[in-house]
Amino acid sequence: MKKILVLNGPNINMLGVREKTIYGKLDYPALCAYIQKAAAALNVEVEVAQSNVEGELVTLIQQAYGKFDGIVINPAAFTHYSIAVLDALKAVALPTIEVHLSNIHAREEFRHKSVTAAACLGQICGLGFKGYALALKALAEEI
Ligand code: DQA
């Protein structure tokens, strides 16, 4: 069975509390359950992890090398400035899809730019939880 690592960056653990008009009322455990259900339907194995710490995400990406077949990542705020996350994704060179719950292009200008998307097959944004399921589906077909 194909193995996909789903990584979430800073403040994604605050879903259900943070800016509900943007991110919705459902909490982080609900997102994890949604991802597991989507993975089961696609017949792929997923491991879901979240960190508020840039270096921890870099380590998790590095550790995916040789262990996972692909990555779905919502780097959250790191999307917009983390060259360390970009370099880690480039280093492991695993097929990766970037996901954002909100439509980053319809928000503040500083959110329009993703530095991490350059290391990804593609980016899905603005579709809420569904973006993760679509990213898993695309990756499952790709790997
Ligand atoms: C986000 C968008 C980012 O701009 C923001 O910093 C986040 C969440 C999203 O999922 O919509 O924390 O990645």
Side-chain angles (χ1 to χ4, degrees):
M1 205 188 269
K2 298 289 180 193
K3 282 187 74 176
I4 297 173
L5 177 64
V6 180
L7 282 179
N8 287 297
N11 301 304
I12 301 297
N13 59 319
M14 293 297 282
L15 287 179
V17 175
R18 74 184 290 213
E19 302 180 277
K20 283 184 243 175
T21 53
I22 296 171
Y23 299 113
K25 284 182 287 189
L26 296 176
D27 62 10
Y28 186 63
L31 174 62
C32 295
Y34 178 90
I35 292 167
Q36 289 294 351
K37 207 173 152 196
L42 291 163
N43 213 27
V44 294
E45 200 182 315
V46 290
E47 202 171 298
V48 185
Q50 187 275 334
S51 178
N52 295 320
V53 181
E54 186 179 19
E56 278 178 14
L57 287 172
V58 168
T59 299
L60 287 166
I61 294 165
Q62 289 180 3
Q63 288 171 347
Y65 182 75
K67 202 171 153 214
F68 288 91
D69 302 296
I71 299 174
V72 171
I73 187 165
N74 181 350
F78 295 142
T79 305
H80 312 299
Y81 65 90
S82 178
I83 293 169
V85 172
L86 169 69
D87 285 348
L89 291 171
K90 282 187 168 175
V92 299
L94 287 166
T96 298
I97 298 184
E98 180 171 301
V99 171
H100 298 285
L101 293 156
S102 65
N103 179 357
I104 55 174
H105 304 289
R107 299 181 63 194
E108 303 96 320
E109 205 170 333
F110 65 83
R111 295 187 203 274
H112 298 180
K113 171 77 186 163
S114 166
V115 301
T116 47
C120 299
L121 293 173
Q123 183 198 61
I124 298 169
C125 73
L127 302 180
F129 283 15
K130 201 184 291 176
Y132 289 84
L134 293 171
L136 287 174
K137 185 173 191 296
L139 262 191
E141 285 170 19
E142 196 69 34
I143 57 185

mmCIF file of all heavy atoms in Angstrom, residues 44-73:
data_model
loop_
_atom_site.group_PDB
_atom_site.id
_atom_site.type_symbol
_atom_site.label_atom_id
_atom_site.label_comp_id
_atom_site.label_asym_id
_atom_site.label_seq_id
_atom_site.Cartn_x
_atom_site.Cartn_y
_atom_site.Cartn_z
ATOM 1 N N VAL A 44 -4.944 4.177 0.394
ATOM 2 C CA VAL A 44 -3.565 4.582 0.700
ATOM 3 C C VAL A 44 -3.427 4.711 2.216
ATOM 4 O O VAL A 44 -4.405 4.938 2.927
ATOM 5 C CB VAL A 44 -3.155 5.924 0.024
ATOM 6 C CG1 VAL A 44 -3.119 5.801 -1.495
ATOM 7 C CG2 VAL A 44 -4.042 7.078 0.452
ATOM 8 N N GLU A 45 -2.193 4.553 2.664
ATOM 9 C CA GLU A 45 -1.914 4.683 4.092
ATOM 10 C C GLU A 45 -1.418 6.112 4.339
ATOM 11 O O GLU A 45 -0.570 6.597 3.583
ATOM 12 C CB GLU A 45 -0.815 3.686 4.467
ATOM 13 C CG GLU A 45 -0.748 3.373 5.952
ATOM 14 C CD GLU A 45 0.395 2.426 6.248
ATOM 15 O OE1 GLU A 45 0.550 1.436 5.494
ATOM 16 O OE2 GLU A 45 1.138 2.695 7.200
ATOM 17 N N VAL A 46 -1.949 6.771 5.350
ATOM 18 C CA VAL A 46 -1.446 8.119 5.656
ATOM 19 C C VAL A 46 -0.989 8.224 7.096
ATOM 20 O O VAL A 46 -1.523 7.572 8.000
ATOM 21 C CB VAL A 46 -2.474 9.264 5.420
ATOM 22 C CG1 VAL A 46 -2.767 9.512 3.978
ATOM 23 C CG2 VAL A 46 -3.720 9.081 6.212
ATOM 24 N N GLU A 47 0.008 9.061 7.273
ATOM 25 C CA GLU A 47 0.424 9.471 8.610
ATOM 26 C C GLU A 47 0.240 10.983 8.622
ATOM 27 O O GLU A 47 0.675 11.663 7.691
ATOM 28 C CB GLU A 47 1.894 9.092 8.805
ATOM 29 C CG GLU A 47 2.281 8.970 10.270
ATOM 30 C CD GLU A 47 3.683 8.387 10.411
ATOM 31 O OE1 GLU A 47 3.903 7.231 9.980
ATOM 32 O OE2 GLU A 47 4.545 9.106 10.922
ATOM 33 N N VAL A 48 -0.425 11.486 9.655
ATOM 34 C CA VAL A 48 -0.695 12.922 9.736
ATOM 35 C C VAL A 48 0.115 13.506 10.888
ATOM 36 O O VAL A 48 0.140 12.946 11.982
ATOM 37 C CB VAL A 48 -2.204 13.192 9.956
ATOM 38 C CG1 VAL A 48 -2.496 14.687 9.906
ATOM 39 C CG2 VAL A 48 -3.049 12.469 8.917
ATOM 40 N N ALA A 49 0.809 14.619 10.607
ATOM 41 C CA ALA A 49 1.596 15.268 11.657
ATOM 42 C C ALA A 49 1.427 16.777 11.560
ATOM 43 O O ALA A 49 1.137 17.316 10.485
ATOM 44 C CB ALA A 49 3.065 14.889 11.516
ATOM 45 N N GLN A 50 1.574 17.426 12.698
ATOM 46 C CA GLN A 50 1.453 18.893 12.747
ATOM 47 C C GLN A 50 2.563 19.430 13.629
ATOM 48 O O GLN A 50 2.895 18.836 14.661
ATOM 49 C CB GLN A 50 0.077 19.273 13.318
ATOM 50 C CG GLN A 50 -0.272 20.764 13.276
ATOM 51 C CD GLN A 50 0.271 21.548 14.467
ATOM 52 O OE1 GLN A 50 0.480 20.992 15.553
ATOM 53 N NE2 GLN A 50 0.509 22.816 14.273
ATOM 54 N N SER A 51 3.146 20.542 13.216
ATOM 55 C CA SER A 51 4.117 21.204 14.088
ATOM 56 C C SER A 51 4.033 22.714 13.921
ATOM 57 O O SER A 51 3.782 23.220 12.826
ATOM 58 C CB SER A 51 5.545 20.735 13.782
ATOM 59 O OG SER A 51 6.447 21.433 14.618
ATOM 60 N N ASN A 52 4.273 23.393 15.037
ATOM 61 C CA ASN A 52 4.342 24.851 15.007
ATOM 62 C C ASN A 52 5.768 25.324 14.777
ATOM 63 O O ASN A 52 6.024 26.527 14.709
ATOM 64 C CB ASN A 52 3.820 25.417 16.339
ATOM 65 C CG ASN A 52 2.344 25.104 16.528
ATOM 66 O OD1 ASN A 52 1.565 25.182 15.581
ATOM 67 N ND2 ASN A 52 1.957 24.744 17.739
ATOM 68 N N VAL A 53 6.693 24.363 14.683
ATOM 69 C CA VAL A 53 8.120 24.678 14.659
ATOM 70 C C VAL A 53 8.702 24.373 13.272
ATOM 71 O O VAL A 53 8.606 23.239 12.784
ATOM 72 C CB VAL A 53 8.864 23.853 15.740
ATOM 73 C CG1 VAL A 53 10.347 24.173 15.760
ATOM 74 C CG2 VAL A 53 8.240 24.103 17.115
ATOM 75 N N GLU A 54 9.307 25.378 12.667
ATOM 76 C CA GLU A 54 9.846 25.229 11.301
ATOM 77 C C GLU A 54 10.838 24.067 11.194
ATOM 78 O O GLU A 54 10.744 23.235 10.293
ATOM 79 C CB GLU A 54 10.510 26.543 10.888
ATOM 80 C CG GLU A 54 10.987 26.586 9.452
ATOM 81 C CD GLU A 54 11.606 27.937 9.107
ATOM 82 O OE1 GLU A 54 11.986 28.679 10.030
ATOM 83 O OE2 GLU A 54 11.715 28.233 7.911
ATOM 84 N N GLY A 55 11.793 24.005 12.133
ATOM 85 C CA GLY A 55 12.820 22.966 12.091
ATOM 86 C C GLY A 55 12.232 21.568 12.240
ATOM 87 O O GLY A 55 12.749 20.608 11.660
ATOM 88 N N GLU A 56 11.156 21.468 13.019
ATOM 89 C CA GLU A 56 10.511 20.148 13.173
ATOM 90 C C GLU A 56 9.883 19.698 11.854
ATOM 91 O O GLU A 56 9.944 18.518 11.507
ATOM 92 C CB GLU A 56 9.446 20.206 14.273
ATOM 93 C CG GLU A 56 10.048 20.054 15.659
ATOM 94 C CD GLU A 56 9.019 20.150 16.783
ATOM 95 O OE1 GLU A 56 7.802 20.064 16.513
ATOM 96 O OE2 GLU A 56 9.464 20.342 17.926
ATOM 97 N N LEU A 57 9.291 20.641 11.130
ATOM 98 C CA LEU A 57 8.722 20.290 9.823
ATOM 99 C C LEU A 57 9.821 19.865 8.861
ATOM 100 O O LEU A 57 9.657 18.899 8.118
ATOM 101 C CB LEU A 57 7.927 21.472 9.242
ATOM 102 C CG LEU A 57 6.581 21.760 9.916
ATOM 103 C CD1 LEU A 57 5.991 23.053 9.390
ATOM 104 C CD2 LEU A 57 5.594 20.613 9.706
ATOM 105 N N VAL A 58 10.951 20.568 8.911
ATOM 106 C CA VAL A 58 12.096 20.212 8.062
ATOM 107 C C VAL A 58 12.542 18.784 8.385
ATOM 108 O O VAL A 58 12.751 17.959 7.484
ATOM 109 C CB VAL A 58 13.260 21.219 8.257
ATOM 110 C CG1 VAL A 58 14.541 20.708 7.620
ATOM 111 C CG2 VAL A 58 12.878 22.579 7.675
ATOM 112 N N THR A 59 12.647 18.459 9.666
ATOM 113 C CA THR A 59 13.060 17.108 10.083
ATOM 114 C C THR A 59 12.040 16.064 9.633
ATOM 115 O O THR A 59 12.417 15.001 9.133
ATOM 116 C CB THR A 59 13.255 17.060 11.617
ATOM 117 O OG1 THR A 59 14.288 17.996 11.946
ATOM 118 C CG2 THR A 59 13.655 15.678 12.096
ATOM 119 N N LEU A 60 10.752 16.366 9.788
ATOM 120 C CA LEU A 60 9.714 15.415 9.357
ATOM 121 C C LEU A 60 9.787 15.173 7.853
ATOM 122 O O LEU A 60 9.620 14.040 7.393
ATOM 123 C CB LEU A 60 8.317 15.930 9.756
ATOM 124 C CG LEU A 60 7.997 15.846 11.245
ATOM 125 C CD1 LEU A 60 6.763 16.682 11.584
ATOM 126 C CD2 LEU A 60 7.778 14.386 11.674
ATOM 127 N N ILE A 61 10.070 16.221 7.089
ATOM 128 C CA ILE A 61 10.208 16.070 5.622
ATOM 129 C C ILE A 61 11.434 15.205 5.323
ATOM 130 O O ILE A 61 11.375 14.268 4.521
ATOM 131 C CB ILE A 61 10.295 17.456 4.931
ATOM 132 C CG1 ILE A 61 8.981 18.214 5.071
ATOM 133 C CG2 ILE A 61 10.679 17.299 3.452
ATOM 134 C CD1 ILE A 61 9.053 19.703 4.748
ATOM 135 N N GLN A 62 12.542 15.486 5.982
ATOM 136 C CA GLN A 62 13.769 14.695 5.765
ATOM 137 C C GLN A 62 13.531 13.222 6.094
ATOM 138 O O GLN A 62 13.969 12.330 5.370
ATOM 139 C CB GLN A 62 14.912 15.223 6.632
ATOM 140 C CG GLN A 62 15.448 16.567 6.181
ATOM 141 C CD GLN A 62 16.571 17.045 7.083
ATOM 142 O OE1 GLN A 62 16.992 16.363 8.011
ATOM 143 N NE2 GLN A 62 17.062 18.240 6.808
ATOM 144 N N GLN A 63 12.819 12.981 7.208
ATOM 145 C CA GLN A 63 12.579 11.594 7.643
ATOM 146 C C GLN A 63 11.618 10.847 6.722
ATOM 147 O O GLN A 63 11.522 9.621 6.780
ATOM 148 C CB GLN A 63 12.058 11.582 9.082
ATOM 149 C CG GLN A 63 13.144 11.939 10.085
ATOM 150 C CD GLN A 63 12.601 12.152 11.491
ATOM 151 O OE1 GLN A 63 11.389 12.266 11.702
ATOM 152 N NE2 GLN A 63 13.499 12.222 12.471
ATOM 153 N N ALA A 64 10.904 11.602 5.881
ATOM 154 C CA ALA A 64 9.970 10.961 4.932
ATOM 155 C C ALA A 64 10.734 10.255 3.816
ATOM 156 O O ALA A 64 10.198 9.346 3.169
ATOM 157 C CB ALA A 64 9.018 12.002 4.348
ATOM 158 N N TYR A 65 11.983 10.680 3.616
ATOM 159 C CA TYR A 65 12.790 10.104 2.529
ATOM 160 C C TYR A 65 12.976 8.601 2.737
ATOM 161 O O TYR A 65 13.419 8.167 3.812
ATOM 162 C CB TYR A 65 14.153 10.805 2.484
ATOM 163 C CG TYR A 65 15.034 10.301 1.363
ATOM 164 C CD1 TYR A 65 14.776 10.683 0.040
ATOM 165 C CD2 TYR A 65 16.099 9.443 1.603
ATOM 166 C CE1 TYR A 65 15.567 10.225 -1.003
ATOM 167 C CE2 TYR A 65 16.900 8.974 0.569
ATOM 168 C CZ TYR A 65 16.620 9.374 -0.732
ATOM 169 O OH TYR A 65 17.406 8.915 -1.758
ATOM 170 N N GLY A 66 12.620 7.818 1.740
ATOM 171 C CA GLY A 66 12.777 6.368 1.824
ATOM 172 C C GLY A 66 11.682 5.670 2.605
ATOM 173 O O GLY A 66 11.669 4.446 2.708
ATOM 174 N N LYS A 67 10.781 6.459 3.186
ATOM 175 C CA LYS A 67 9.743 5.898 4.058
ATOM 176 C C LYS A 67 8.340 6.134 3.478
ATOM 177 O O LYS A 67 7.436 5.339 3.688
ATOM 178 C CB LYS A 67 9.871 6.572 5.428
ATOM 179 C CG LYS A 67 9.270 5.808 6.572
ATOM 180 C CD LYS A 67 9.633 6.431 7.918
ATOM 181 C CE LYS A 67 8.559 6.101 8.935
ATOM 182 N NZ LYS A 67 8.367 7.178 9.900
ATOM 183 N N PHE A 68 8.183 7.267 2.804
ATOM 184 C CA PHE A 68 6.873 7.612 2.225
ATOM 185 C C PHE A 68 6.991 7.754 0.711
ATOM 186 O O PHE A 68 8.078 8.030 0.182
ATOM 187 C CB PHE A 68 6.363 8.928 2.827
ATOM 188 C CG PHE A 68 5.926 8.802 4.264
ATOM 189 C CD1 PHE A 68 6.820 9.036 5.300
ATOM 190 C CD2 PHE A 68 4.626 8.426 4.584
ATOM 191 C CE1 PHE A 68 6.433 8.896 6.628
ATOM 192 C CE2 PHE A 68 4.227 8.287 5.907
ATOM 193 C CZ PHE A 68 5.134 8.519 6.925
ATOM 194 N N ASP A 69 5.849 7.580 0.046
ATOM 195 C CA ASP A 69 5.827 7.695 -1.416
ATOM 196 C C ASP A 69 5.438 9.100 -1.883
ATOM 197 O O ASP A 69 5.572 9.429 -3.060
ATOM 198 C CB ASP A 69 4.834 6.681 -1.998
ATOM 199 C CG ASP A 69 5.207 5.263 -1.584
ATOM 200 O OD1 ASP A 69 6.274 4.801 -1.989
ATOM 201 O OD2 ASP A 69 4.426 4.633 -0.829
ATOM 202 N N GLY A 70 4.932 9.896 -0.973
ATOM 203 C CA GLY A 70 4.526 11.251 -1.351
ATOM 204 C C GLY A 70 4.158 12.051 -0.115
ATOM 205 O O GLY A 70 4.002 11.498 0.988
ATOM 206 N N ILE A 71 4.030 13.359 -0.316
ATOM 207 C CA ILE A 71 3.718 14.268 0.799
ATOM 208 C C ILE A 71 2.582 15.212 0.393
ATOM 209 O O ILE A 71 2.570 15.733 -0.723
ATOM 210 C CB ILE A 71 4.955 15.125 1.176
ATOM 211 C CG1 ILE A 71 6.130 14.245 1.633
ATOM 212 C CG2 ILE A 71 4.609 16.148 2.267
ATOM 213 C CD1 ILE A 71 7.442 15.017 1.876
ATOM 214 N N VAL A 72 1.651 15.402 1.321
ATOM 215 C CA VAL A 72 0.676 16.485 1.209
ATOM 216 C C VAL A 72 1.035 17.451 2.325
ATOM 217 O O VAL A 72 1.166 17.040 3.483
ATOM 218 C CB VAL A 72 -0.779 15.967 1.389
ATOM 219 C CG1 VAL A 72 -1.751 17.133 1.498
ATOM 220 C CG2 VAL A 72 -1.165 15.045 0.228
ATOM 221 N N ILE A 73 1.254 18.707 1.981
ATOM 222 C CA ILE A 73 1.700 19.650 3.010
ATOM 223 C C ILE A 73 0.898 20.942 2.976
ATOM 224 O O ILE A 73 0.657 21.516 1.909
ATOM 225 C CB ILE A 73 3.223 19.947 2.885
ATOM 226 C CG1 ILE A 73 3.713 20.804 4.065
ATOM 227 C CG2 ILE A 73 3.582 20.597 1.542
ATOM 228 C CD1 ILE A 73 5.218 20.857 4.229
#
